[in-house]
Structure formats: C-alpha cells, structure tokens
Amino acid sequence: MWAGSVVSIHLARAEGAATLAVPEVRAVVGAGLEGDRYFQPAAGGGPERDVTLIQQEALEAVAREHGIVLAPGQHRRNVVTAGVPLNDLIGQEFQVGQVRLRGLELSEPCRYLEELTGRPGLLRALVHRGGLGARILGGGVIRVGDPVVPAPRPSTVAP
C-alpha cells in the first residue's frame, strides 16, 4: 500500500505560456482544472486528460542522472506528487484530497517540451517518467499538501 502527497500545483493560462504555481485549484468533472489552458466548462466534455501529474522523485532523478534541473512548473504538468507510483495508476482510481481521479495513460514527454524549456536531452530523460494523464471522476478542490491515496473500494458486503 502506498500513500503520497501533493507537492505543488501548476496552471498555464495559454499554450506555451509560463506556468503559475497556485496553492489550490478546483477540479471540475468533464471540464478540467479551473484556470488551466485546457479548462472547457461550456463544452461539457473537456480534454480526455483533465489533469496531468508528475512525481517529484522523477524530477529529482532527471536532475541527478542527466544534470537537467527544471524550474518549478517547467515540466508543464499540473500536479507534482511525492510518494505516489504514478506509472502503476493506469486504469486505477485514486484520491487527491477530495478529488477522485482515474489514471488514463502515461504523459510521455514531447519534443515541444524540450524546445520550450531549452533543455536538450529532456525528452530522453523523461521517457516513462513524464507523468500521468488522469480523468476527473469526482470534483472538488486540490490543495498543496493534500494526501494522494488509492481510492477506497466500494463495499460489496450486503447489509
């Protein structure tokens, strides 16, 4: 069993815009994170990946193994976690504070990220540790410091 926490939260208002660190963000089912470039409340069916997460441990490994140090938010993921096995959460439900998420797919790095950061080798350094794309199943507020835990399983015991 694992348990982790939210280290930081980052939003970008527009594609390519610098990310902003925020202490909390509202997660809306079917729309994404309020204030983020992909938030689509009117469309009622936001992006397939409502939220992206990355492990603090992965960022530390990239710095240690490749000498690439990213400034906070430069990774372009929304939520930085510690102690969470993100790669193992594909197809799994988990709880971030009061928000319930389902892991969808690895957020593999792209050449655009490498170009945007000006960090040659970043693409290769982040392969299979670039984070996780997730869908919001139950909305609410995500705060820095919130626990990240596996979602409780519904009880199957009859009354």
Side-chain angles (χ1 to χ4, degrees), residues 2-155:
W2 57 269
S5 62
V6 174
V7 174
S8 60
I9 302 168
H10 306 271
L11 305 174
R13 304 275 185 225
E15 185 177 334
T19 60
L20 304 169
V22 296
E24 63 182 39
V25 65
R26 179 165 300 284
V28 179
V29 175
L33 299 178
E34 283 185 356
D36 192 55
R37 66 193 177 280
Y38 295 118
F39 185 66
Q40 298 178 0
E48 178 64 22
R49 299 181 320 173
D50 295 325
V51 181
T52 55
L53 304 97
I54 192 166
Q55 293 172 261
Q56 179 67 38
E57 296 88 346
L59 297 171
E60 291 167 356
V62 166
R64 184 176 57 252
E65 297 167 12
H66 299 275
I68 300 172
V69 177
L70 296 175
Q74 202 172 20
H75 44 71
R76 312 293 296 171
R77 303 298 184 246
N78 300 122
V79 178
V80 178
T81 65
V84 181
L86 293 176
N87 285 16
D88 297 340
L89 296 180
I90 297 170
Q92 303 297 313
E93 292 184 17
F94 58 104
Q95 202 79 22
V96 180
Q98 60 183 234
V99 176
R100 191 172 183 119
L101 301 175
R102 174 180 290 124
L104 297 176
E105 63 186 0
L106 295 183
S107 289
E108 295 292 5
C110 61
R111 192 150 315 280
Y112 176 68
L113 177 63
E114 195 171 79
E115 292 168 5
L116 194 61
T117 62
R119 307 287 182 158
L122 182 59
L123 183 121
R124 184 174 51 252
L126 280 176
V127 168
H128 303 314
R129 55 184 175 189
L132 178 72
R135 187 81 165 150
I136 300 167
L137 301 178
V141 176
I142 298 172
R143 293 178 177 85
V144 172
D146 274 351
V148 182
V149 296
R153 299 267 185 230
S155 176

